[in-house]
Amino acid sequence: WRGDLKKCPKCAALWIGAAALEEKAFGATRARSVLELARSRNKGTPSLWLAAMRLERRHGHQKLAENLQAKALQECESSGELWADCISTAPRPARKGKSLEALKRCDNDARVIVAVANLFVSERKHNKARKWFARATALEPDLGDAWAHAYFFEVKDGTDQTRQDLVDRCVAAEPAHGELWTSVAKDPKNARLDVAQKLRLCAEKLKRAEDEEALA
């Protein structure tokens, strides 16, 4: 991977992939070093900060993750990606305050809107959640992750009609972006799947993640 990074030192995805390889082969310390180097060479890149925070969380270093998050939001204060992560990972009593702060910084970012919708889901305010999911998908219809979270909500708390309506709107939008969505859509074994099938697979991944979090 070193040769690839010499050719494309500004490619965040390459740095994140390299860190993942180092983590798998040698552990968190080597991966941390790769991501530190990546951030030093690519200032203001939210995805590199997010990768570093996730690395620390995977290895149980919550305080390190929190410190990284604070620094990330100083450097990238208008990043919806980082603010959405901030909302979803904050202690439950602090999530409302984080949501308000995030909306002040980037109120038209679909990822933040989805995070706020999920906050309403956790509070069992289903009508509000549905409205905010609808706002997110209208704001950025190309963001597959927004559709996935909305559909997962409808699977748990909606009706056959609300589920089908959402699937129909998603199929019409033909989303192509989002971390979760692309992890499903770009998997070679899913190459022949249509939009509705990819949407359902994304919801299944969200369900597994929720179950794992509940067991943690």
Side-chain angles (χ1 to χ4, degrees), residues 13-158:
L14 272 180
W15 284 105
I16 292 167
L21 289 173
E22 291 292 300
E23 181 185 7
K24 187 175 181 179
F26 304 107
T29 301
R30 290 276 287 269
R32 186 180 298 119
S33 296
V34 171
L35 291 171
E36 286 173 352
L37 182 60
R39 295 197 305 278
S40 72
R41 295 184 179 180
N42 297 277
K43 298 289 187 183
T45 305
S47 60
L48 292 173
W49 284 103
L50 192 58
M53 286 184 272
R54 288 174 174 171
L55 171 69
E56 302 305 345
R57 289 172 191 148
R58 281 195 298 274
H59 292 272
H61 305 148
Q62 188 60 32
K63 193 63 181 176
L64 276 175
E66 290 172 5
N67 290 341
L68 284 167
Q69 188 175 75
K71 292 176 181 177
L73 290 171
Q74 285 181 339
E75 187 172 294
C76 314
E77 62 181 16
S78 298
S79 167
E81 186 177 19
L82 291 175
W83 277 110
D85 177 78
C86 182
I87 295 166
S88 62
T89 60
R92 192 173 295 273
R95 288 179 188 174
K96 184 175 182 179
K98 295 294 184 185
S99 295
L100 293 172
E101 192 172 354
L103 289 169
K104 287 178 183 177
R105 301 280 186 177
C106 38
D107 66 335
N108 282 321
D109 189 288
R111 288 161 297 190
V112 169
I113 303 303
V114 168
V116 174
N118 280 325
L119 176 61
F120 287 130
V121 172
S122 71
E123 296 174 346
R124 304 198 64 76
K125 296 177 180 177
H126 294 162
N127 289 336
K128 281 190 174 182
R130 186 172 285 112
K131 288 177 182 177
W132 281 71
F133 281 128
R135 179 181 169 188
T137 55
L139 193 61
E140 197 172 339
D142 196 44
L143 183 65
D145 290 13
W147 292 105
H149 280 273
Y151 181 69
F152 183 48
F153 162 69
E154 294 296 351
V155 167
K156 292 190 299 180
D157 298 302

Side-chain angles (χ1 to χ4, degrees), residues 181-196:
W181 186 267
T182 55
S183 74
V184 169
K186 292 187 177 181
D187 189 327
K189 70 176 182 286
N190 298 330
R192 295 180 180 274
L193 299 184
D194 60 26
V195 171

